[in-house]
Amino acid sequence: DSTSVGGTAVLDQLISHPPVPTAVVATRTSDSLFTVAITHGSAGSRNPISRTLVERIRVAPAGSDWVRVLDAPGAVTSYSSPVAANESWEFAAAAWNAAGASQWRNSGRVYTTPGAPTTVSAGKNADLSITVNWVSGSSYVPESFRIFDNGTLAATVAGTVSTWTHVSPNASVAHTYSVAAVQGALESARTAAPPVQLLTPPLTPTNLAPSGTSVAVGSVAFSWTHNPVDSTPQTQAAVRYRIVGATSWSTLAATTAQTVSATLAVGSHE
């Protein structure tokens, strides 16, 4: 004889961690909003996606550590994050089920429009080149700075640079330089320096000395203040003097110094 035994066995279904998101892409909608798109990995009955988690961190200006901004049921594919201009952020997403959370997928760093440069100045050099300086107004290091001359793009330099020299600018026109920070397709407002005028004769020197006073017999130092219109430093000067009533002048030459000396005879001079 033989005996058979029948019955039903119930096996528990094992649940594993959900799949890691395959892509997390943060896109700037405006300087006040990012849209985060989440692409989930392939899930099934053994590795379902029960919830979607999103965290963010403000990189610049430096903020707190990672902050959870979304914990929602199901496989969420989009999240909108409020932001502000002149900021840099990173986002990360993960899936969750009863077995725990998946690994996180990071968006990489994303940006809003950089802040405009500050303290932009332009000064003429002795060789008639013009040097433009600025201070970055961006909370992060931008990709580049653009320098404009009278509204026309003149140069693009790296975002770590804060000075640029315009070699051989047109001497027949005044130059107004402005600088903008650039990050990808985003350009800040332009900040302008006061105009620089090339090759304009200086105004009459001021603060002539001595004047209206008595001086000791011997060597006398004449001094003055160079008074440029176009910021050009003094390169030559001539000082004339004579005894009051004389018909001819004596002339002294100077270069960059704003003082020169002569030995005067006794008497009143002009």
Side-chain angles (χ1 to χ4, degrees), residues 1-5:
D1 293 338
S2 62
T3 303
S4 63
V5 177

Side-chain angles (χ1 to χ4, degrees), residues 98-126:
S102 71
Q103 293 182 335
W104 292 85
R105 180 73 67 185
N106 195 291
S107 69
R109 195 165 298 182
V110 289
Y111 305 88
T112 54
T113 303
T118 64
T119 320
V120 178
S121 63
K124 186 170 63 176
N125 304 310

Side-chain angles (χ1 to χ4, degrees), residues 145-202:
F145 288 101
R146 291 174 181 158
I147 302 97
F148 299 85
D149 176 16
N150 293 336
T152 299
L153 180 64
T156 300
V157 299
T160 55
V161 173
S162 59
T163 186
W164 173 75
T165 297
H166 192 175
V167 177
S168 301
N170 186 344
S172 65
V173 299
H175 295 265
T176 298
Y177 295 93
S178 57
V179 183
V182 179
Q183 182 65 38
L186 305 175
E187 180 179 293
S188 74
R190 301 176 189 178
T191 304
V196 177
Q197 177 67 57
L198 296 174
L199 300 179
T200 299

Side-chain angles (χ1 to χ4, degrees), residues 6 9 17 22 25 33-34 40 47 82-83 85 96 138 151-152 160 165 167-168 172 174 181 189 199 209 222 238 261:
H17 287 77
T22 59
V25 178
L33 187 68
F34 273 113
H40 289 278
N47 63 339
V83 292
W96 183 93
S138 177
T152 299
T160 55
T165 297
V167 177
S168 301
S172 65
L199 300 179
F222 299 99
S261 297

Side-chain angles (χ1 to χ4, degrees), residues 118-251:
T118 64
T119 320
V120 178
S121 63
K124 186 170 63 176
N125 304 310
D127 63 357
L128 298 184
S129 64
I130 299 174
T131 296
V132 183
N133 296 288
W134 62 91
V135 175
S136 176
S138 177
S139 68
Y140 55 86
V141 178
E143 288 181 356
S144 62
F145 288 101
R146 291 174 181 158
I147 302 97
F148 299 85
D149 176 16
N150 293 336
T152 299
L153 180 64
T156 300
V157 299
T160 55
V161 173
S162 59
T163 186
W164 173 75
T165 297
H166 192 175
V167 177
S168 301
N170 186 344
S172 65
V173 299
H175 295 265
T176 298
Y177 295 93
S178 57
V179 183
V182 179
Q183 182 65 38
L186 305 175
E187 180 179 293
S188 74
R190 301 176 189 178
T191 304
V196 177
Q197 177 67 57
L198 296 174
L199 300 179
T200 299
L203 300 175
T204 302
T206 57
N207 302 321
L208 276 64
S211 177
T213 186
S214 298
V215 295
V217 174
S219 180
V220 176
F222 299 99
S223 64
W224 62 94
T225 299
H226 179 55
N227 194 12
V229 173
D230 56 9
S231 75
T232 305
Q234 175 183 300
T235 57
Q236 292 184 357
V239 177
R240 300 194 307 172
Y241 65 94
R242 67 181 178 181
I243 292 179
V244 175
T247 58
S248 62
W249 295 86
S250 297
T251 302

